[in-house]
């Protein structure tokens, strides 16, 4: 059950986002974000983005995956958003996360494929993303979908004392 996130689903999505944030560092570190989940800041970010068309600054689209049972719980998401640098409106940035119990079931691939399919209908030429060098699940998923590594920054982050190499990847939508 993959759908584009609607405004009336935001609070439920923020609950999901808080649960996913709690998982960072439990079995592995997958995000540089430290400290408590910033619900208010995120809500503000969404509120500023709902009606922004792609190619304008600050646009963002989020797809959610819900369980197909009665709970219909949100267990995963993928987002595409504008880059912050000027003159980059032909590119999008991608982020993704699945709650731990629901990984390895094809949800990550299905969400990514949905986002890529949508991106190909937009005035976008590239999707960029970054992941940690030891995130083998993410790297495998991105490579399978055609993302190419464009660079690495050694020791970019130090999260809870752990030095982390960041891997940048990109997908050319025209291909
Ligand atoms: C990375 C992540 C999004 C992958 O989602 P997922 O639902 O577990 O992945 P899928 O089940 O769709 O698997 C997609 C592909 O990746 C590969 N893959 C998945 N987990 C893997 C693992 N642990 N090791 C190696 N490859 C793996 C599979 O081979 C699969 O290929 P297939 O579709 O040909 O079978 C998910 O593990 C996750 O949310 N991790 C924590 C947050 C995170 O790392 N986000 C990305 C930060 S950049």
């Amino acid at each position: 059950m993959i759908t584009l996130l609607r405004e009336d689903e935001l609070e439920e999505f923020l609950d999901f986002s808080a649960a996913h944030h709690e998982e960072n560092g439990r079995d592995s570190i997958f995000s540089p974000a430290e400290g408590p989940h910033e619900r208010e800041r995120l809500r503000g970010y969404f509120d500023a983005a709902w009606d922004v068309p792609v190619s304008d600054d600050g646009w963002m689209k989020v797809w959610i995956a819900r369980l197909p049972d009665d709970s219909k719980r949100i267990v995963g998401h993928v987002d595409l958003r504008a880059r912050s640098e000027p003159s980059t409106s032909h590119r999008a940035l991608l982020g993704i996360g699945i709650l731990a119990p629901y990984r390895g079931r094809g949800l990550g691939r299905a969400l990514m494929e949905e986002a890529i399919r949508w991106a190909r209908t937009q005035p976008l030429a590239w999707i960029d993303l970054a992941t940690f060098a030891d995130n083998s699940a993410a790297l495998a998923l991105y490579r399978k979908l055609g993302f190419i590594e464009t660079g690495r920054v050694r020791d970019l982050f130090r999260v809870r004392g752990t030095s982390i190499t960041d891997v940048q990847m990109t997908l050319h939508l025209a291909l």
Side-chain angles (χ1 to χ4, degrees):
M1 290 182 63
I2 293 176
T3 54
L4 198 58
L5 181 72
R6 300 186 317 259
E7 207 165 339
D8 64 351
E9 297 172 305
L10 180 58
E11 295 310 317
E12 202 184 342
F13 178 78
L14 293 173
D15 291 342
F16 154 79
S17 167
H20 187 50
H21 180 84
E22 284 300 310
E23 294 178 339
N24 190 32
R26 200 175 285 166
D27 299 319
S28 63
I29 300 171
F30 52 78
S31 162
E34 291 195 89
H37 182 247
E38 296 185 87
R39 191 179 185 102
E40 296 311 315
R41 189 184 63 79
L42 266 178
R43 187 186 288 111
Y45 192 58
F46 273 91
D47 285 346
W50 288 116
D51 299 322
V52 180
V54 174
S55 79
D56 279 12
D57 291 348
W59 70 268
M60 177 170 61
K61 297 283 175 201
V62 177
W63 290 261
I64 51 174
R66 290 182 180 275
L67 291 180
D69 63 15
D70 288 347
S71 76
K72 301 214 169 33
R73 184 178 176 208
I74 299 174
V75 293
H77 100 287
V78 64
D79 63 85
L80 287 176
R81 59 195 185 279
R83 296 188 64 105
S84 56
E85 308 94 325
S87 304
T88 55
S89 62
H90 58 299
R91 308 188 73 103
L93 273 175
L94 183 145
I96 186 167
I98 314 291
L99 292 182
Y102 306 100
R103 292 178 197 155
R105 301 177 176 195
L107 277 181
R109 177 189 269 271
L111 281 162
M112 295 268 309
E113 286 176 343
E114 185 71 19
I116 292 167
R117 207 169 15 248
W118 176 85
R120 289 192 199 279
T121 70
Q122 301 298 314
L124 293 166
W126 303 86
I127 297 177
D128 302 316
L129 57 80
T131 190
F132 295 167
D134 66 354
N135 193 342
S136 49
L139 283 168
L141 171 60
Y142 303 150
R143 285 184 183 131
K144 282 186 176 182
L145 291 175
F147 282 78
I148 303 293
E149 188 174 323
T150 51
R152 288 185 176 226
V153 182
R154 190 173 150 202
D155 196 25
L156 178 61
F157 304 109
R158 293 190 182 178
V159 182
R160 298 167 207 176
T162 303
S163 169
I164 290 167
T165 294
D166 202 50
V167 181
Q168 279 104 46
M169 303 182 86
T170 196
L171 178 73
H172 193 189
L173 292 166
L175 297 177

